[in-house]
Amino acid sequence: MLKGVDIGGSFVKVLWEDGRKEKYFIRDLKKDKSSFLKRIREIILEGSPTGVGIAVAGFTSKEGKVYRSPNIPVLDGVDFNELLRGSGVDFVIGNDVSVGAYGEWFFDHRDSKILVLVAVGTGLGGGLVVEGKPFFGVCGSAMEIGHHTILKGGRECHCGSKGCWEAYCSSYGLEKTYVELGGEGIRDFEIVKRAKEGEERARRAVETFKEHLYVGLMNMVHIFNPDTIVLGGGVIEGMRDLLEDAQDKVRELSENLPGSYVEIAFSTAGEFLGARGALAFIRGSRSDIRG
Ligand SMILES: [Zn+2]
């Protein structure tokens, strides 16, 4: 049986073909590279899968090497061909949001010709599926849309640049906006909760978040002319009922022609977005092989 494995900063999440889900806490292992990699190998091979799709938060080559993973530095330079040597398991690997986008197409949006996934959590990641094929770019690092500039000389981003989309639309972006409006340093979900309870400052912080979110989505519409934009990730999930106007607002901001073709949907995969994408990725690669 096939399974999808999503290696994140704190957890490894697994989704099997029959719908079984598993979650492994790994954050405390990250200090020691060899025990961390041993555990990752065990989790991947656990249950003797016939094939595994692997999603990794970071820059990942199609051939199986992780170049850099800002949130999981012990994976920097790790070649999964080496890690899984001798196991005989067939695997495919990709960036978590890129394969997540493929999972959106594979499970929920098969009619889509151009699908863009925008996932907002700790950071902002993107994925693209064109005519049913995941788009990885030349070396596997396409769709780093969180770091496209939406305000030149703007707020500092975790990547070291300024004015990135992620600097405004991420958990830390929302938290920073709240502080800039005179609020205390509280977590993103607390701000969203306060906004829903009617606190004026929190409401303004969420409005600012939405303005930047929609401008970035307008850019996606103008660049890719997608029929489907899927929104996902923890921050989006938490404020989903505050984003009901997303489609109307993004259409208003966009040129009429591409704007009228885009539909904005919300992911149904929850926290298993990456794992579901990884599962879709190995399933899709199998059907390619079968022709
Ligand atoms: Zn950035």
mmCIF file of all heavy atoms in Angstrom, residues 3 37 55 86 110 131 161 234-235 260 270 272 274:
data_model
loop_
_atom_site.group_PDB
_atom_site.id
_atom_site.type_symbol
_atom_site.label_atom_id
_atom_site.label_comp_id
_atom_site.label_asym_id
_atom_site.label_seq_id
_atom_site.Cartn_x
_atom_site.Cartn_y
_atom_site.Cartn_z
ATOM 1 N N LYS A 3 1.831 5.309 0.745
ATOM 2 C CA LYS A 3 1.566 6.308 1.781
ATOM 3 C C LYS A 3 2.289 7.616 1.483
ATOM 4 O O LYS A 3 3.284 7.645 0.749
ATOM 5 C CB LYS A 3 1.933 5.771 3.163
ATOM 6 C CG LYS A 3 3.419 5.671 3.489
ATOM 7 C CD LYS A 3 3.571 5.191 4.957
ATOM 8 C CE LYS A 3 4.998 5.206 5.415
ATOM 9 N NZ LYS A 3 5.167 4.706 6.803
ATOM 10 N N LEU A 37 17.837 11.304 11.515
ATOM 11 C CA LEU A 37 17.699 10.633 10.217
ATOM 12 C C LEU A 37 17.288 9.169 10.377
ATOM 13 O O LEU A 37 16.521 8.640 9.576
ATOM 14 C CB LEU A 37 19.013 10.749 9.427
ATOM 15 C CG LEU A 37 19.377 12.170 8.986
ATOM 16 C CD1 LEU A 37 20.698 12.183 8.239
ATOM 17 C CD2 LEU A 37 18.273 12.795 8.128
ATOM 18 N N ALA A 55 7.058 14.656 1.302
ATOM 19 C CA ALA A 55 6.987 16.115 1.208
ATOM 20 C C ALA A 55 7.915 16.703 2.263
ATOM 21 O O ALA A 55 7.898 16.268 3.411
ATOM 22 C CB ALA A 55 5.555 16.577 1.447
ATOM 23 N N GLY A 86 19.033 0.404 0.329
ATOM 24 C CA GLY A 86 18.898 -0.955 0.863
ATOM 25 C C GLY A 86 17.489 -1.320 1.282
ATOM 26 O O GLY A 86 17.200 -2.482 1.554
ATOM 27 N N ARG A 110 -10.002 18.010 -10.013
ATOM 28 C CA ARG A 110 -9.510 17.365 -11.236
ATOM 29 C C ARG A 110 -9.838 18.129 -12.522
ATOM 30 O O ARG A 110 -9.195 17.944 -13.547
ATOM 31 C CB ARG A 110 -10.107 15.955 -11.350
ATOM 32 C CG ARG A 110 -9.437 14.923 -10.479
ATOM 33 C CD ARG A 110 -8.057 14.572 -10.999
ATOM 34 N NE ARG A 110 -7.428 13.615 -10.105
ATOM 35 C CZ ARG A 110 -7.357 12.304 -10.347
ATOM 36 N NH1 ARG A 110 -7.831 11.802 -11.463
ATOM 37 N NH2 ARG A 110 -6.800 11.505 -9.476
ATOM 38 N N GLU A 131 -2.289 21.736 -16.028
ATOM 39 C CA GLU A 131 -2.833 20.613 -16.801
ATOM 40 C C GLU A 131 -2.575 19.277 -16.097
ATOM 41 O O GLU A 131 -2.155 18.299 -16.718
ATOM 42 C CB GLU A 131 -2.208 20.579 -18.211
ATOM 43 C CG GLU A 131 -2.305 21.896 -18.979
ATOM 44 C CD GLU A 131 -3.618 22.058 -19.743
ATOM 45 O OE1 GLU A 131 -4.445 21.135 -19.723
ATOM 46 O OE2 GLU A 131 -3.806 23.135 -20.339
ATOM 47 N N SER A 161 15.049 39.572 3.247
ATOM 48 C CA SER A 161 14.658 40.629 2.322
ATOM 49 C C SER A 161 13.587 41.514 2.995
ATOM 50 O O SER A 161 13.210 41.281 4.140
ATOM 51 C CB SER A 161 14.124 39.970 1.056
ATOM 52 O OG SER A 161 13.910 40.935 0.062
ATOM 53 N N GLY A 234 -2.587 26.698 8.403
ATOM 54 C CA GLY A 234 -3.175 26.928 9.719
ATOM 55 C C GLY A 234 -3.782 28.308 9.922
ATOM 56 O O GLY A 234 -4.859 28.432 10.515
ATOM 57 N N VAL A 235 -3.120 29.352 9.433
ATOM 58 C CA VAL A 235 -3.633 30.712 9.657
ATOM 59 C C VAL A 235 -4.937 30.911 8.873
ATOM 60 O O VAL A 235 -5.912 31.473 9.377
ATOM 61 C CB VAL A 235 -2.573 31.774 9.270
ATOM 62 C CG1 VAL A 235 -3.150 33.178 9.354
ATOM 63 C CG2 VAL A 235 -1.350 31.644 10.176
ATOM 64 N N SER A 260 -12.515 37.129 -13.945
ATOM 65 C CA SER A 260 -13.811 36.458 -14.071
ATOM 66 C C SER A 260 -13.669 34.936 -14.155
ATOM 67 O O SER A 260 -14.638 34.209 -13.970
ATOM 68 C CB SER A 260 -14.561 36.982 -15.298
ATOM 69 O OG SER A 260 -13.870 36.599 -16.467
ATOM 70 N N GLY A 270 -6.835 20.116 5.717
ATOM 71 C CA GLY A 270 -6.421 20.500 7.069
ATOM 72 C C GLY A 270 -4.923 20.385 7.239
ATOM 73 O O GLY A 270 -4.150 20.713 6.337
ATOM 74 N N PHE A 272 -3.159 17.855 7.144
ATOM 75 C CA PHE A 272 -2.560 16.784 6.339
ATOM 76 C C PHE A 272 -2.401 17.201 4.867
ATOM 77 O O PHE A 272 -2.287 16.355 3.981
ATOM 78 C CB PHE A 272 -3.373 15.501 6.470
ATOM 79 C CG PHE A 272 -3.094 14.803 7.792
ATOM 80 C CD1 PHE A 272 -3.755 15.195 8.950
ATOM 81 C CD2 PHE A 272 -2.142 13.808 7.884
ATOM 82 C CE1 PHE A 272 -3.472 14.595 10.175
ATOM 83 C CE2 PHE A 272 -1.852 13.203 9.096
ATOM 84 C CZ PHE A 272 -2.520 13.595 10.249
ATOM 85 N N GLY A 274 0.148 18.553 3.268
ATOM 86 C CA GLY A 274 1.409 18.069 2.691
ATOM 87 C C GLY A 274 1.422 16.561 2.534
ATOM 88 O O GLY A 274 1.861 16.020 1.511
#
